[in-house]
Amino acid sequence: MAMLKNLSALTILLAITIALLPRATFATVGIPDCAKGVTGDCGFRFFKIIVLGDTSAPTDECCQQLVKAGKNCHNQFVESIVSSRKPIRGTISDVYRRSNEMWNNCSATSSVSPPEPAH
């Protein structure tokens, strides 16, 4: 019985660790100041799609936040990921490809206009 309790506790600890690990990884990447309007949940979705190769699409709300932050901000986020040397799925080219695909899909479907480029 004691062994079963220990196994249950270990399973719960392992599940919590697995659930929190990607969020901790996202937090250490470095979020650009321009992304302050992007929620943590949306930022984590973007991270999973761009870095981990998750094939799910971001929600409409997340796309609106991304487009509102702008392409330049999105590119800064991707550059911070690449320069952090965190483990990625595939190659750096895959990261850029997934990043561009996500931006293109969000900007095409979002009802929000991106900010004007700074001159």
Side-chain angles (χ1 to χ4, degrees):
M1 188 68 167
M3 186 171 180
L4 183 59
K5 285 184 181 180
N6 288 341
L7 184 58
S8 295
L10 183 60
T11 303
I12 291 169
L13 181 60
L14 181 61
I16 291 170
T17 302
I18 290 170
L20 294 179
L21 181 61
R23 290 184 189 269
T25 301
F26 173 67
T28 61
V29 167
I31 301 168
D33 288 339
C34 58
K36 296 279 189 228
V38 177
T39 64
D41 285 342
C42 289
F44 182 58
R45 284 180 194 260
F46 299 148
F47 182 84
K48 288 189 334 184
I49 292 167
I50 295 169
V51 176
L52 304 178
D54 185 342
T55 58
S56 65
T59 64
D60 290 341
E61 176 65 27
C62 289
C63 276
Q64 288 179 6
Q65 291 177 23
L66 178 67
V67 173
K68 188 173 181 181
K71 177 73 169 160
N72 187 40
C73 187
H74 175 68
N75 290 342
Q76 288 178 42
F77 173 66
V78 174
E79 287 302 322
S80 70
I81 292 169
V82 170
S83 65
S84 73
R85 301 187 184 262
K86 295 285 181 200
I88 59 173
R89 183 170 181 202
T91 65
I92 291 175
S93 294
D94 293 329
V95 168
Y96 287 120
R97 178 186 48 75
R98 291 189 293 257
S99 163
N100 287 327
E101 287 173 357
M102 187 178 72
W103 172 263
N104 291 338
N105 290 337
C106 280
S107 62
T109 61
S110 178
S111 61
V112 174
S113 297
E116 292 293 321
H119 295 145

